[in-house]
Amino acid sequence: MVEQLEAWAISLGPVRAAFFATVFTWLMTALGAALVFFFKTIRRSVFDTMLGFTGGVMIAASFWSLLTPALEMAEKIHPGYNWAPVAIGFLLGGFFIFLLDRLLPHLHINFNKSESEGITTNWHKSTLLVLAITLHNIPEGLAIGMLFGSAALDMDATTLTAAIALTIGIGIQNLPEGMAVSMPLRRQGLGRAKSFFYGQLSAMVEPIAGVIGALAVIYMNNILPYALAFSAGAMIYVVVEEVIPETQRDKYTDLAVLGFMLGFTIMMILDVAL
């Protein structure tokens, strides 16, 4: 199966492969959001477990799929100082999301509208929720695109298999993300169709970010270690600033931690075993 996916990705080329891979992750978000047609609500214990799972996948992907290959690539470019470009890229990625977080109006899941972040606005709560998950999805799309782009450059440390593993992992964790937007909106009184629309809308940014990521590393391959570390820093910032706090607002913190560990383990197995 993996060999067939690799052959298919090679036939497409890196940019189109990155596009179709991120369309897949977008569709997985839509699939999760579509559950709103069958359920109006979800138990908070299940919700927190799924959010924890999402954080575990993102942290594992940041290390196994992004930081480790970035260090190996940087060693070839800067022998003995491979930590420098990775550290710089990692911090820049976190700072990038920090700036977006300060500027873009958004509202984290299960927070009151009075707790919205970014520039003050009168936008509807549903819009703010979608923007929060959109922030979450930008680094995911970039990471997938950069891995497909770096695989096209025939870099030893990054292969199509790693890009495919990351795509599968992000796709799995996008399922609860879609639910995380559509279910709260349904509880607020929106119709099923509108709740679904907003739920899947948050992931539409992933194909755009995926194409940008692939093009960036292809045409600026000397910045690849910085770019991979940038994506990792952005993803970890999102997990620590957004995902983890949302799982700590109720009494199911232990389930959230178990979900986190399961997500981390599954992403690690995907990346290492494949």
Side-chain angles (χ1 to χ4, degrees), residues 2-267:
V2 175
E3 291 80 6
Q4 293 173 333
L5 288 173
E6 287 180 349
W8 183 67
I10 291 171
S11 68
L12 287 175
V15 177
R16 285 197 296 171
F19 173 76
F20 283 113
T22 46
V23 166
F24 164 75
T25 59
W26 171 24
L27 291 176
M28 291 294 282
T29 304
L31 181 61
L35 292 176
V36 77
F37 289 108
F38 306 98
F39 307 98
K40 186 174 182 178
T41 187
I42 183 173
R43 290 184 180 180
R44 185 59 194 262
S45 58
V46 176
F47 185 81
D48 284 348
T49 303
M50 291 191 306
L51 277 183
F53 178 89
T54 294
V57 169
M58 293 179 71
I59 292 292
S62 297
F63 178 76
W64 298 102
S65 299
L66 299 170
L67 289 176
T68 297
L71 286 167
E72 294 176 9
M73 294 173 192
E75 181 62 30
K76 299 177 181 179
I77 303 172
H78 305 286
Y81 297 93
N82 61 332
W83 52 268
V86 176
I88 292 170
F90 183 82
L91 292 174
L92 286 176
F95 188 67
F96 171 71
I97 300 298
F98 168 80
L99 288 178
L100 289 182
D101 197 59
R102 285 287 181 271
L103 297 174
L104 185 66
H106 62 284
L107 176 67
H108 297 317
I109 303 163
N110 293 321
F111 281 48
N112 297 319
K113 191 173 180 180
S114 60
E115 299 176 275
S116 61
E117 300 178 6
I119 297 174
T120 303
T121 178
N122 292 322
W123 291 352
H124 195 274
K125 186 175 181 179
S126 58
T127 303
L128 297 174
L129 280 171
V130 172
L131 288 174
I133 301 297
T134 300
L135 273 174
H136 190 153
N137 288 327
I138 291 173
E140 295 174 4
L142 284 174
I144 292 172
M146 287 175 180
L147 278 179
F148 275 104
S150 59
L153 298 174
D154 200 25
M155 304 293 289
D156 293 337
T158 308
T159 66
L160 277 174
T161 305
I164 291 168
L166 179 62
T167 301
I168 295 171
I170 295 297
I172 292 172
Q173 65 100 36
N174 273 5
L175 274 167
E177 276 189 10
M179 295 174 62
V181 178
S182 63
M183 294 291 185
L185 294 178
R186 178 64 179 146
R187 287 199 304 272
Q188 292 169 23
L190 265 69
R192 288 185 173 89
K194 280 190 175 181
S195 298
F196 166 75
F197 175 76
Y198 284 121
Q200 61 80 37
L201 186 66
S202 62
M204 287 184 68
V205 70
E206 288 197 6
I208 299 171
V211 170
I212 292 173
L215 289 172
V217 299
I218 289 172
Y219 292 104
M220 297 179 287
N221 59 75
N222 57 328
I223 69 162
L224 187 52
Y226 297 90
L228 292 178
F230 179 94
S231 292
M235 290 174 69
I236 288 179
Y237 185 97
V238 167
V239 172
V240 177
E241 195 274 337
E242 176 185 338
V243 177
I244 292 177
E246 288 169 11
T247 67
Q248 306 300 302
R249 292 173 66 86
D250 213 310
K251 59 183 179 180
Y252 302 107
T253 56
D254 52 347
L255 293 178
V257 173
L258 292 174
F260 181 98
M261 295 182 69
L262 178 62
F264 187 98
T265 302
I266 289 176
M267 187 64 233

